[in-house]
Amino acid sequence: MAKAKLFNSKEALWEGYCDLNRTPHLDNNLSKGKGGRKVYLLGRVLPSGNISLMRYSCNNGKRQREMLNVVLKLEVDANVKRENEEKLRLQALACDALNADLERREANFQSSVKSKVLLLDFIRKVGDDALKETGNRHSMYATMNSLAKHVEAYAGTDTRFKEVNEDWLRGFIDYLKHDALNVNFIRTEKEGRRKEIHISQNTQHRLIVNINYVLNKAVKKHLITSNPMDLLDNSDKVSAKSGTREYLTSEEVEMLMQTPFTHGKYHIKEAFLFSCYTGLRFSDLKQLKMSDFRFDRKHGWYLKIKMVKTREPLTIFIPKVAYDILPSTEDEDRPVFDLPKNDYANQALQRWLKDAGIKGKHITFHCARHSAATILYSAGLPLQTIQKQLGHIKAQTTEIYAKMMEDAQHEASSKMDELFKR
């Protein structure tokens, strides 16, 4: 038997697997895809001469591309050729299965097994997968657990994906608007009766965004054919309310600096003030070690860390007022701050704020981060600098603080007119 020809050059590899270099013939109808298929493979030549495989899918008139991280290599010997052929075979099988599944779904056929998947199980799995990937209990994991609690409160534990339609979503949004309670802030009155606190407008908005995220993920997993949230108008949903973040002024931060903390052994005061001065999140404060600090002769102390929430690197310079309040420690690899869980820390924080005479604001540990941003903006620092200091990925997140300050200034101006009857 003749030996199979090796494609050992850039041109030979590209021509040898010619099916990968044909442009999909769409005829202005994206649902046809390549050769009438809805799912197919294409290749892209890399500078090395190897070919990177991509999978395209055409669904409801939209074409999507997925990078497979599968590379066909220049065939220097028969072993490489066999590997290339096996890679192509496996990817072709995957495409065939996905293509058949997509055609069935577009014909309104749905696997009976998939249609029985419980919504709550899937939401919790999304959170568990995020926890395994990042180890962070305060980001996607906490977000999905919060969503699961509200879905369960609204619809119970046995809701299946096939039941989640346009009407179900409208009912869930109505529940968020009128019945959903904030389980983290149920206050106890002096008479021993509990005061139930309804979730805020921004929390309603976030939960709607989160259920939309889950449904989009379910579409990608082929659990549902389309996202029923797409059928709702924006007027059916809840928009985010801007400019409502609580923060402390520089004068109030100074009041806290002068007020002793007498509510436990933890470093609540030191950590909260350090956050006011630097903008670090509570999750980053809990993991902060002295080994994370660096010193530069020109600029002084600075931090190099990876943020817990985003896993993005962050470098920020530390003002002397922040460095001076750090608790003393002899072990550079132990956490700098001894902190309890976030909920307990917020309860102790409320008592300390009361001691300082700060009233009329619902301040949590995260508000220290808002305080840092607003104080820096009030001092005239450009938004781009504040964005870097807080580690915001999007500039729009930082711009919220500018809008907050403008609204506060307008309120002050209106108050003058009110006082002087104009």
Side-chain angles (χ1 to χ4, degrees):
M1 181 181 290
K3 290 184 178 179
K5 181 180 178 181
L6 298 179
F7 303 134
N8 54 12
S9 69
K10 176 179 179 180
E11 293 76 16
L13 191 65
W14 184 241
E15 290 298 325
Y17 298 106
C18 57
D19 281 347
L20 298 175
N21 60 39
R22 292 174 183 162
T23 303
H25 181 57
L26 302 180
D27 292 336
N28 297 320
N29 183 353
L30 287 173
S31 66
K32 287 184 178 181
K34 181 181 178 181
R37 290 178 60 92
K38 298 182 180 299
V39 183
Y40 52 88
L41 287 176
L42 283 182
R44 179 168 62 90
V45 179
L46 302 174
S48 62
N50 295 335
I51 296 177
S52 176
L53 298 184
M54 299 169 287
R55 182 163 61 216
Y56 282 78
S57 60
C58 298
N59 186 10
N60 295 325
K62 296 181 180 179
R63 188 168 67 146
Q64 295 180 324
R65 183 182 69 177
E66 181 182 0
M67 302 303 296
L68 299 173
N69 296 320
V70 176
V71 175
L72 303 183
K73 298 180 180 180
L74 294 176
E75 297 173 350
V76 295
D77 56 40
N79 288 331
V80 178
K81 186 172 189 68
R82 281 193 293 270
E83 290 174 2
N84 284 344
E85 290 175 343
E86 180 65 7
K87 290 175 184 177
L88 266 181
R89 186 184 72 82
L90 293 175
Q91 293 304 321
L93 286 173
C95 280
D96 288 343
L98 291 170
N99 187 75
D101 187 57
L102 189 56
E103 288 182 345
R104 285 197 301 269
R105 289 190 291 115
E106 289 196 357
N108 290 323
F109 174 84
Q110 191 170 359
S111 165
S112 60
V113 175
K114 290 182 177 179
S115 67
K116 293 180 180 178
V117 174
L118 292 173
L119 175 61
L120 273 179
D121 287 349
F122 187 76
I123 292 173
R124 290 178 177 132
K125 185 177 186 308
V126 172
D128 291 341
D129 289 346
L131 179 61
K132 289 177 183 177
E133 183 178 347
T134 66
N136 180 12
R137 290 181 172 271
H138 300 287
S139 186
M140 183 59 71
Y141 176 77
T143 295
M144 289 297 110
N145 272 275
S146 175
L147 176 62
K149 288 178 182 177
H150 286 288
V151 167
E152 183 175 353
Y154 165 64
T157 60
D158 57 353
T159 300
R160 303 182 188 279
F161 268 107
K162 63 180 181 181
E163 302 169 35
V164 182
N165 54 26
E166 189 177 352
D167 290 337
W168 190 97
L169 287 171
R170 284 204 174 94
F172 181 62
I173 292 172
D174 186 72
Y175 153 80
L176 294 178
K177 289 180 178 178
H178 302 109
D179 300 313
L181 300 177
N182 190 330
V183 296
N184 292 323
F185 295 104
I186 296 178
R187 298 172 185 165
T188 302
E189 302 298 287
K190 291 182 180 179
E191 299 83 7
R193 299 173 61 186
R194 297 199 313 169
K195 181 180 179 182
E196 296 177 334
I197 309 299
H198 287 271
I199 62 174
S200 67
Q201 180 176 327
N202 280 355
T203 301
Q204 295 169 29
H205 170 75
R206 284 195 299 272
L207 287 164
I208 294 170
V209 169
N210 293 338
I211 191 69
N212 185 56
Y213 171 82
V214 166
L215 292 173
N216 279 333
K217 207 167 185 66
V219 171
K220 291 182 178 179
K221 295 289 186 182
H222 309 306
L223 298 178
I224 52 178
T225 58
S226 60
N227 185 348
M229 188 71 78
D230 295 339
L231 301 174
L232 270 60
D233 296 328
N234 286 334
S235 58
D236 296 324
K237 304 171 188 176
V238 179
S239 59
K241 188 176 180 180
S242 62
T244 58
R245 298 181 177 183
E246 290 277 26
Y247 61 91
L248 298 174
T249 65
S250 57
E251 292 80 9
E252 288 170 328
V253 173
E254 182 63 30
M255 289 167 63
L256 286 175
M257 186 68 170
Q258 303 302 326
T259 304
F261 181 83
T262 58
H263 303 286
K265 62 179 181 177
Y266 296 106
H267 295 135
I268 303 291
K269 176 175 182 176
E270 295 87 346
F272 185 81
L273 290 174
F274 191 87
S275 180
C276 288
Y277 298 141
T278 63
L280 280 186
R281 295 183 180 90
F282 183 81
S283 54
D284 295 322
L285 292 169
K286 285 201 76 169
Q287 295 198 6
L288 193 64
K289 303 177 180 63
M290 287 307 300
S291 56
D292 296 322
F293 287 83
R294 308 283 191 275
F295 185 79
D296 179 89
R297 286 176 177 269
K298 182 178 180 181
H299 300 103
W301 290 100
Y302 66 98
L303 276 175
K304 288 183 74 72
I305 61 171
K306 182 176 286 188
M307 292 181 287
V308 172
K309 179 178 180 180
T310 64
R311 308 310 298 168
E312 292 290 328
L314 176 68
T315 300
I316 57 171
F317 287 89
I318 307 299
K320 185 175 184 300
V321 66
Y323 190 82
D324 287 347
I325 63 173
L326 291 174
S328 59
T329 177
E330 297 180 359
D331 190 344
E332 290 198 343
D333 293 319
R334 287 178 63 84
V336 173
F337 300 109
D338 182 13
L339 291 171
K341 291 183 177 180
N342 191 264
D343 289 346
Y344 183 91
N346 285 330
Q347 292 171 13
L349 178 61
Q350 292 296 321
R351 293 192 287 271
W352 180 41
L353 286 161
K354 186 177 180 180
D355 293 344
I358 299 173
K359 301 176 181 178
K361 294 183 177 182
H362 181 70
I363 299 295
T364 65
F365 234 96
H366 194 72
C367 296
R369 185 169 166 82
H370 301 328
S371 303
T374 53
I375 290 171
L376 291 173
Y377 183 76
S378 300
L381 267 71
L383 285 174
Q384 188 176 12
T385 302
I386 299 173
Q387 179 184 352
K388 289 183 178 179
Q389 180 75 4
L390 269 65
H392 285 156
I393 297 174
K394 297 180 180 179
Q396 295 93 319
T397 307
T398 318
E399 289 168 0
I400 292 173
Y401 297 106
K403 178 67 166 58
M404 287 168 55
M405 298 306 293
E406 289 170 4
D407 289 347
Q409 288 176 311
H410 180 265
E411 185 179 346
S413 175
S414 299
K415 182 62 68 175
M416 282 294 183
D417 285 339
E418 181 184 327
L419 290 171
F420 293 101
K421 311 297 182 184
R422 295 290 181 180

